């Protein structure tokens, strides 16, 4: 089944403890992206990747890191999480980085930072 | 900076009626627009898209209209069903701006039986 998977689905952590949220897609998509969703703010793009080893900042990249060493994986790293990073995170992928097309979203990761 | 907004945060319609969800965008360079549907507890799901060289596109029970003159996008749902109840997001992409995707805040659609 074609899908985007994220792990973990739920995470509660403490301020300053490094964490990684994994994202994987099995559709051979070039484009992958991370968003955070907060009430009243919709989805805001954190980082995106056009292809392996190519990443770019979205609108809210501060406090986050990403890497794209393989086409299928696009992990989101929070080196020192803070409470303002408590949010619902979505990973997404789409077919071609050369021409933007619809994105396929994962099920989301709910992160709470205390 | 660029923004994508919505005229109404909540829309309530009777089952069987048509629904119209509106969206305003501010980046005149945006060349690709998408509507997503998000049901409770799930990730957004693609509904329909339109490129800037078109002004109308139809899918199954859905139509997207693009008015570049006033930078307005709308989603029309025909014969709205209870399963259409969800939050609807418009999103825009500007290829010249580095393929960033900007989402609107969303409109919640309630369908009354």
């Amino acid at each position: 089944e074609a899908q985007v998977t994220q792990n973990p689905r739920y995470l509660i952590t403490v301020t300053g403890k490094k964490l990684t949220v994994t994202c994987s897609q099995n559709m051979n998509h070039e484009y992958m992206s991370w968003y955070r969703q907060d009430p009243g703010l919709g989805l805001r793009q954190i980082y995106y990747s056009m292809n392996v080893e190519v990443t770019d900042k979205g609108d809210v990249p501060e406090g986050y890191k990403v890497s794209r060493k393989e086409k299928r994986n696009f992990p989101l790293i929070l080196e020192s999480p803070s409470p303002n990073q408590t949010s619902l995170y979505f990973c997404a992928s789409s077919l071609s980085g050369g021409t933007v097309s619809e994105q396929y979203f994962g099920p989301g990761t709910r992160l709470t930072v205390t | 900076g660029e923004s994508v907004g919505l005229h109404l945060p909540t829309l309530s319609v009777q089952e069987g009626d048509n629904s119209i969800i509106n969206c305003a965008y501010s980046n005149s360079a945006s060349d690709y627009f998408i509507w997503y549907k998000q049901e409770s507890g799930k990730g957004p799901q693609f509904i329909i898209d339109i490129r800037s060289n078109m002004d109308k596109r139809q899918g199954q029970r859905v139509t997207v209209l693009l008015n570049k003159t006033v930078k307005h996008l709308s989603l029309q749902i025909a014969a709205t069903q209870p399963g259409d109840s969800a939050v609807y997001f418009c999103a825009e992409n500007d290829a010249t701006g580095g393929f960033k995707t900007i989402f609107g805040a969303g409109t919640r659609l309630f369908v009354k039986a």
Side-chain angles (χ1 to χ4, degrees):
Chain A
E1 180 190 354
Q3 59 182 348
V4 178
T5 56
Q6 297 178 226
N7 281 293
R9 294 289 314 277
Y10 302 91
L11 179 60
I12 300 174
T13 190
V14 296
T15 299
K17 186 176 182 182
K18 181 179 178 180
L19 66 91
T20 299
V21 184
T22 65
C23 173
S24 183
Q25 51 92 6
N26 62 0
M27 296 170 279
N28 201 35
H29 283 172
E30 292 184 346
Y31 185 97
M32 296 187 73
S33 184
W34 276 103
Y35 298 88
R36 59 177 291 173
Q37 185 173 29
D38 302 289
L41 296 177
L43 286 92
R44 292 179 293 167
Q45 194 170 37
I46 302 171
Y47 271 96
Y48 63 95
S49 170
M50 303 286 286
N51 214 324
V52 175
E53 302 290 1
V54 181
T55 61
D56 272 299
K57 296 178 180 178
D59 284 331
V60 289
E62 292 76 24
Y64 304 95
K65 286 175 59 178
V66 293
S67 68
R68 188 89 183 274
K69 294 185 171 60
E70 307 164 278
K71 199 171 189 178
R72 63 181 293 128
N73 295 323
F74 191 44
L76 179 70
I77 304 155
L78 284 71
E79 294 270 3
S80 183
S82 62
N84 65 11
Q85 292 179 297
T86 292
S87 187
L88 179 59
Y89 291 86
F90 288 100
C91 180
S93 71
S94 68
L95 180 61
S96 172
T99 302
V100 179
S101 58
E102 74 266 24
Q103 295 180 49
Y104 297 79
F105 284 80
T109 295
R110 186 165 292 282
L111 172 66
T112 302
V113 183
T114 62
Chain B
E2 300 90 36
S3 66
V4 177
L6 293 164
H7 294 292
L8 295 173
T10 303
L11 178 65
S12 184
V13 300
Q14 198 70 37
E15 181 179 0
D17 288 351
N18 297 334
S19 303
I20 300 176
I21 301 172
N22 295 303
C23 178
Y25 65 95
S26 59
N27 182 8
S28 57
S30 290
D31 51 8
Y32 179 64
F33 304 88
I34 321 99
W35 282 100
Y36 289 95
K37 172 186 180 183
Q38 186 177 27
E39 296 175 292
S40 181
K42 297 183 180 179
Q45 183 179 14
F46 170 80
I47 302 173
I48 192 168
D49 59 0
I50 189 167
R51 299 198 184 271
S52 58
N53 59 352
M54 303 172 69
D55 53 22
K56 180 179 180 179
R57 192 160 188 228
Q58 288 184 289
Q60 187 177 12
R61 282 202 307 119
V62 294
T63 301
V64 55
L65 299 177
L66 175 63
N67 186 332
K68 293 181 287 294
T69 303
V70 295
K71 290 184 283 188
H72 183 267
L73 190 69
S74 69
L75 176 70
Q76 300 177 2
I77 304 173
T80 312
Q81 302 168 359
D84 294 327
S85 293
V87 177
Y88 290 81
F89 294 96
C90 62
E92 62 177 310
N93 280 99
D94 167 16
T96 62
F99 295 97
K100 284 184 182 180
T101 303
I102 299 173
F103 278 78
T107 292
R108 184 174 296 279
L109 176 65
F110 289 103
V111 181
K112 297 176 288 187

